[in-house]
């Protein structure tokens, strides 16, 4: 869920600055949900995207899960003039008489010069805001960083200006939406069986189910469901969920988590779940020949390495995992309806020798699957990187296929 912070901002611009949580994967989510309304999308830097929409579809924007902030560009600061020139009048946006607590979040700057630039920009912004008649403008500073977090914006009711460099200066924008992370936080910390420290987060799971394209009432399968992180997020969207896992204990954990979700959260009435113990290399018989609308799954299938493992150790673990991936992709393809998507997370492991070892997926075409491209002009190259991850040895990459 997202909260609209500033009700008085009636911006007509369709260009949006999006601060994303997962870089390329968040841009894929954007293209899947908004691709048909998109004129273009540029990556400004790692987690900042500039999106140009034909229509500003606020309802869909609030469904995006891989986002920290959405803002509108207001104007720019030109370097040699050192002046903040609003392209839009801020008096349309803010009430001059009220007290404003504002802050600046600066993106896409190399570290050594950040502090200096931050000072320059904030003092220019402050003097311009005062000059425009806002006498009670207070500048709130972030702790050590140059970014104010979404939760600080909500908690302290701040007006957050966004900035990033361009060729001749800095773009200045204003944050209009930030998601409310309370639900996500509750699901990651308070559920009966919390995810292990390397498991995917509810936020990432929600991005993946948005990419799956399933609609309310549709059926989603996670054939390696573990304790059910993906199923929990899918229930919130009102999907009929099926979880399969080879391990009885994991199925019991998923069951506890899903029953907890039903008690704690108000779910759409279409939401339901069914859990089955079984080997996903034989899905058709486990599912009794049901067809599903999509599969979203994260079968990491590697042992947990303590610290950076050697290349040899990783290679042999990956070879073993590849055989299971191959067999289960054939089985998955048989249970997905034509045109349905398969969203698959694969591991990429960093080794002591400083190489990255990845699972290679074989036999995709023979299984009746092809790469999925969302309805936008942008092409995605798979596997897509998941940005913003913290585990030292494990990174996630995502494939999206479509059933032919
Ligand atoms: C990385 S975990 C999935 C984590 C899950 N996303 C969660 O939220 O907990 C992978 C799961 O795959 C299961 N698994 C491994 N091999 C399997 C197989 N052949 N068929 C079905 N499940 C399998 C394991 O028991 C494990 O629970």
């Amino acid at each position: 869920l997202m909260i609209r912070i500033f009700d008085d901002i009636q911006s007509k611009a369709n260009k949006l600055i999006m601060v994303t949580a997962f870089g390329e994967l968040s841009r894929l989510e954007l293209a899947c949900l908004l691709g048909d309304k998109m004129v273009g999308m540029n990556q400004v830097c790692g987690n900042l995207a500039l999106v140009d929409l034909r229509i500003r579809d606020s309802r869909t924007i609030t469904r995006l899960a891989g986002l920290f902030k959405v803002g509108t560009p207001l104007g720019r600061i030109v370097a040699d003039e050192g002046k903040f020139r609003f392209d839009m009048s801020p008096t349309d946006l803010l009430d001059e008489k009220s007290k404003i607590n504002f802050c600046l979040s600066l993106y896409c700057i190399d570290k050594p010069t950040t502090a200096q630039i931050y000072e320059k920009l904030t003092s220019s912004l402050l003097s311009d805001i005062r000059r425009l008649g806002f006498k009670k403008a207070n500048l709130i500073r972030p702790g050590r960083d140059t970014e104010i977090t979404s939760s600080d914006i909500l908690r302290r009711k701040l007006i957050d200006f966004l900035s990033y460099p361009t060729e001749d200066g800095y773009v200045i924008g204003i944050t209009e939406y930030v998601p409310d992370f309370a639900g996500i936080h509750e699901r990651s910390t308070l559920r009966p069986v919390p995810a292990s420290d390397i498991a995917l987060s509810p936020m990432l799971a929600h991005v993946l189910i948005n990419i799956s394209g399933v609609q309310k009432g549709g059926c989603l399968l996670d054939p390696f469901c573990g304790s059910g992180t993906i199923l929990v997020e899918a229930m919130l969207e009102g999907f009929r969920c099926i979880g399969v896992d080879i391990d009885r204990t994991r199925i019991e954990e998923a069951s506890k988590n899903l029953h907890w979700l039903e008690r704690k959260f108000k779910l759409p009435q279409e939401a339901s779940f069914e859990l089955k113990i079984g080997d996903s290399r034989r899905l058709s018989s486990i599912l009794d020949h049901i067809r599903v609308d999509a599969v979203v799954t994260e079968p990491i299938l590697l042992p947990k390495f303590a610290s950076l493992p050697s290349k040899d150790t990783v290679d042999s673990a990956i070879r073993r995992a590849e055989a299971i991936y191959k067999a289960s992709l054939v089985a998955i393809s048989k249970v997905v309806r034509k045109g349905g998507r398969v969203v698959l997370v694969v591991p990429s492991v960093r080794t002591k020798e400083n190489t990255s070892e990845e699972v290679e997926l074989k036999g995709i075409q023979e299984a009746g699957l092809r790469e999925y491209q969302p309805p936008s002009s942008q092409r995605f190259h798979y596997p897509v990187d998941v940005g913003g991850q913290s585990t030292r040895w494990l990174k996630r990459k995502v494939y999206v296929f479509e059933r032919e």
Side-chain angles (χ1 to χ4, degrees):
L1 288 180
M2 297 170 101
I3 287 178
R4 183 166 183 137
I5 318 173
F6 311 115
D7 278 328
D8 47 348
I9 293 176
Q10 293 293 325
S11 162
K12 286 170 205 73
N14 291 332
K15 278 202 172 54
L16 298 172
I17 302 168
M18 301 213 174
V19 182
T20 68
F22 302 112
E24 181 74 349
L25 185 77
S26 292
R27 290 192 289 281
L28 177 60
E29 186 198 18
L30 270 159
C32 285
L33 261 61
L34 286 161
D36 52 349
K37 299 179 182 97
M38 220 178 246
V39 181
M41 169 163 59
N42 289 318
Q43 177 190 2
V44 182
C45 68
N47 61 354
L48 206 74
L50 198 59
V51 180
D52 196 354
L53 296 174
R54 248 186 302 279
I55 26 167
R56 194 185 175 106
D57 176 0
S58 302
R59 261 187 80 182
T60 308
I61 291 169
T62 58
R63 282 187 54 213
L64 291 162
L67 267 190
F68 288 135
K69 299 176 182 178
V70 179
T72 308
L74 290 178
R76 61 205 173 100
I77 291 182
V78 180
D80 49 4
E81 293 173 30
K83 276 235 158 67
F84 179 25
R85 295 193 310 204
F86 284 104
D87 290 343
M88 248 185 276
S89 162
T91 44
D92 291 345
L93 309 175
L94 308 167
D95 172 5
E96 285 176 42
K97 290 180 278 305
S98 59
K99 182 172 145 195
I100 67 165
N101 286 329
F102 79 94
C103 57
L104 178 75
S105 295
L106 177 59
Y107 298 93
C108 310
I109 301 272
D110 289 338
K111 282 278 178 255
T113 50
T114 318
Q116 271 165 292
I117 294 167
Y118 193 83
E119 285 314 310
K120 243 177 87 177
L121 288 177
T122 46
S123 64
S124 160
L125 196 54
L126 182 60
S127 65
D128 275 318
I129 288 174
R130 293 214 165 117
R131 188 172 49 76
L132 285 160
F134 300 97
K135 295 285 180 271
K136 297 183 195 160
N138 278 322
L139 170 66
I140 309 294
R141 287 171 178 280
R144 266 175 301 148
D145 218 349
T146 54
E147 180 187 7
I148 301 270
T149 62
S150 312
S151 47
D152 270 343
I153 294 173
L154 281 180
R155 195 168 48 82
R156 304 174 69 175
K157 297 193 172 61
L158 302 179
I159 289 172
D160 179 46
F161 288 94
L162 302 162
S163 188
Y164 60 85
T166 55
E167 277 151 31
D168 61 346
Y170 296 87
V171 167
I172 299 278
I174 192 161
T175 298
E176 287 192 61
Y177 297 91
V178 296
D180 180 0
F181 294 110
I184 288 263
H185 184 69
E186 191 175 356
R187 295 196 293 285
S188 55
T189 57
L190 298 179
R191 70 188 208 198
V193 186
S196 72
D197 51 352
I198 61 156
L200 86 175
S201 64
M203 194 179 185
L204 176 54
H206 215 113
V207 169
L208 301 175
I209 65 153
N210 278 344
I211 290 172
S212 78
V214 178
Q215 303 298 317
K216 194 181 270 184
C219 183
L220 181 137
L221 163 70
D222 180 352
F224 298 84
C225 73
S227 58
T229 313
I230 291 169
L231 301 176
V232 161
E233 298 308 304
M235 289 278 281
L236 290 158
E237 292 290 323
F239 299 170
R240 291 177 291 124
C241 304
I242 305 175
V244 173
D245 201 289
I246 202 163
D247 183 342
R248 175 179 296 273
T249 314
R250 308 307 302 276
I251 289 290
E252 284 164 5
E253 291 174 352
S255 169
K256 279 186 196 151
N257 282 338
L258 289 160
H259 282 298
W260 171 85
L261 181 85
E262 286 183 323
R263 287 194 306 275
K264 292 281 178 183
F265 285 76
K266 195 174 167 339
L267 300 174
Q269 67 181 41
E270 294 86 345
S272 68
F273 72 87
E274 207 183 320
L275 298 169
K276 293 173 187 280
I277 302 166
D279 186 331
S280 284
R281 286 169 286 190
R282 286 185 286 280
L283 271 176
S284 291
S285 59
I286 302 171
L287 298 191
D288 204 13
H289 305 282
I290 311 172
R291 290 272 165 146
V292 301
D293 294 305
V295 164
V296 178
T297 193
E298 184 220 21
I300 295 297
L301 307 179
L302 296 177
K304 192 175 165 186
F305 302 114
S307 59
L308 284 186
S310 75
K311 185 171 179 317
D312 280 352
T313 315
V314 175
D315 277 348
S316 56
I318 284 190
R319 292 296 89 78
R320 276 194 302 276
E322 274 172 354
I324 308 178
Y325 274 96
K326 189 171 177 197
S328 42
L329 270 172
V330 171
I332 285 171
S333 178
K334 289 195 179 120
V335 301
V336 178
R337 71 160 168 80
K338 199 169 179 295
R341 291 175 215 163
V342 177
V343 182
L344 180 70
V345 181
V346 298
S348 157
V349 179
R350 244 202 46 222
T351 67
K352 218 163 29 193
E353 290 86 345
N354 211 15
T355 61
S356 273
E357 304 301 321
E358 229 171 88
V359 167
E360 210 181 298
L361 298 181
K362 297 184 188 106
I364 298 302
Q365 226 177 344
E366 295 82 334
L369 300 169
R370 60 164 172 242
E371 275 187 5
Y372 170 74
Q373 290 296 334
S376 69
S377 51
Q378 191 166 357
R379 265 194 84 77
F380 288 86
H381 299 284
Y382 294 106
V384 163
D385 282 342
V386 180
Q389 308 170 95
S390 55
T391 321
R392 222 154 67 91
W393 57 271
L394 176 73
K395 286 207 181 329
R396 292 179 165 79
K397 300 206 170 193
V398 175
Y399 283 94
V400 185
F401 301 113
E402 187 175 29
R403 178 76 168 86
E404 287 183 309

